[in-house]
Amino acid sequence: EQKLLDELAEDLAYALDVAEQDRVSLQNRQQLELAATVFENSNEGIAVTDCHGRIISVNRAFCEITGYQPDEVQGETHRLLKSGRHDRSFYQVMWHTLLETGRWQGEIWNRRKDGQVYPELLSISSVRDAQGSVSRYISVFTDISGVKQTQQQIEYLEWHDPLTDLPNRRMICNHLAQAIDLACRKEL
């Protein structure tokens, strides 16, 4: 009878352990499904690379912004998007910061598949494995072309009349002040 009770206790303990593992496994699956949903439905372009910068995965927004399909970029590096507007030192500083701090954020100009150059706000984060080595990089970016155009329009309207497109009073006063300043310095 004691042997039967011991076996039942072992079976019950085993069943509880399996139930706990199933519960944890379900939670992990739910977390993975949530992460996949966020990845695919984000409005920001996302690219995941290996530790050497080769693209492993991109989301829908990446494809919409850049014009590239996932199979066209997998295995490639972000150099594929390079616009030519930044010099070597820009990238050196960017990578130095990323390697030192594990993250970099800033404005960068990239090139779409069709050749159009566009500005983006880019954030890159490194992901470390259990040993502390970088295993992945995650790039998240937003096309800020619209923001740049709006800034240019505001700056233009700051100095021009919106109706006539002629220089406004502020611009004329500014030029006059500069001319007076120059004349005073030259003692004219």
Side-chain angles (χ1 to χ4, degrees):
E1 198 170 288
Q2 183 61 38
K3 184 177 178 184
L4 183 59
L5 287 174
D6 289 343
E7 286 177 5
L8 284 173
E10 284 179 27
D11 288 346
L12 181 59
Y14 177 76
L16 289 173
D17 187 44
V18 168
E20 177 63 16
Q21 288 176 2
D22 285 347
R23 186 185 66 75
V24 168
S25 178
L26 176 63
Q27 286 177 337
N28 288 342
R29 277 196 312 268
Q30 289 171 336
Q31 289 293 328
L32 287 173
E33 288 171 6
L34 177 61
T37 300
V38 169
F39 180 79
E40 268 313 306
N41 292 296
S42 175
N43 289 327
E44 286 77 30
I46 302 173
V48 179
T49 69
D50 64 14
C51 63
H52 303 291
R54 288 185 301 267
I55 298 172
I56 297 169
S57 182
V58 296
N59 71 346
R60 173 195 48 77
F62 177 97
C63 297
E64 289 172 0
I65 294 169
T66 67
Y68 286 100
Q69 294 303 309
D71 61 333
E72 295 175 300
V73 297
Q74 286 174 346
E76 299 288 337
T77 66
H78 282 281
R79 287 185 197 104
L80 177 74
L81 304 172
K82 193 174 178 180
S83 69
R85 287 186 117 181
H86 304 286
D87 61 11
R88 183 182 181 124
S89 66
F90 174 86
Y91 292 105
Q92 287 174 336
V93 169
M94 180 180 82
W95 277 101
H96 175 74
T97 302
L98 182 58
L99 293 173
E100 288 291 314
T101 67
R103 58 191 55 220
W104 181 86
Q105 183 174 350
E107 190 177 298
I108 189 168
W109 289 81
N110 272 333
R111 184 178 307 276
R112 300 183 209 283
K113 183 179 178 181
D114 66 8
Q116 180 188 21
V117 175
Y118 68 98
E120 64 182 41
L121 184 58
L122 172 65
S123 177
I124 306 172
S125 299
S126 56
V127 177
R128 298 192 177 273
D129 60 20
Q131 291 76 34
S133 299
V134 173
S135 62
R136 302 273 189 268
Y137 292 102
I138 300 173
S139 301
V140 179
F141 64 94
T142 302
D143 180 346
I144 56 172
S145 300
V147 172
K148 289 287 192 184
Q149 288 173 342
T150 301
Q151 285 175 339
Q152 288 175 342
Q153 288 174 339
I154 290 170
E155 289 172 13
Y156 183 82
L157 291 174
E158 182 179 5
W159 302 102
H160 293 83
D161 180 75
L163 185 60
T164 64
D165 227 17
L166 295 172
N168 63 16
R169 178 182 294 187
R170 182 175 183 172
M171 180 183 266
I172 293 169
C173 289
N174 186 35
H175 285 298
L176 182 59
Q178 288 176 1
I180 291 170
D181 185 49
L182 181 62
C184 288
R185 278 188 277 143
K186 292 192 175 197
E187 296 181 5
L188 296 176

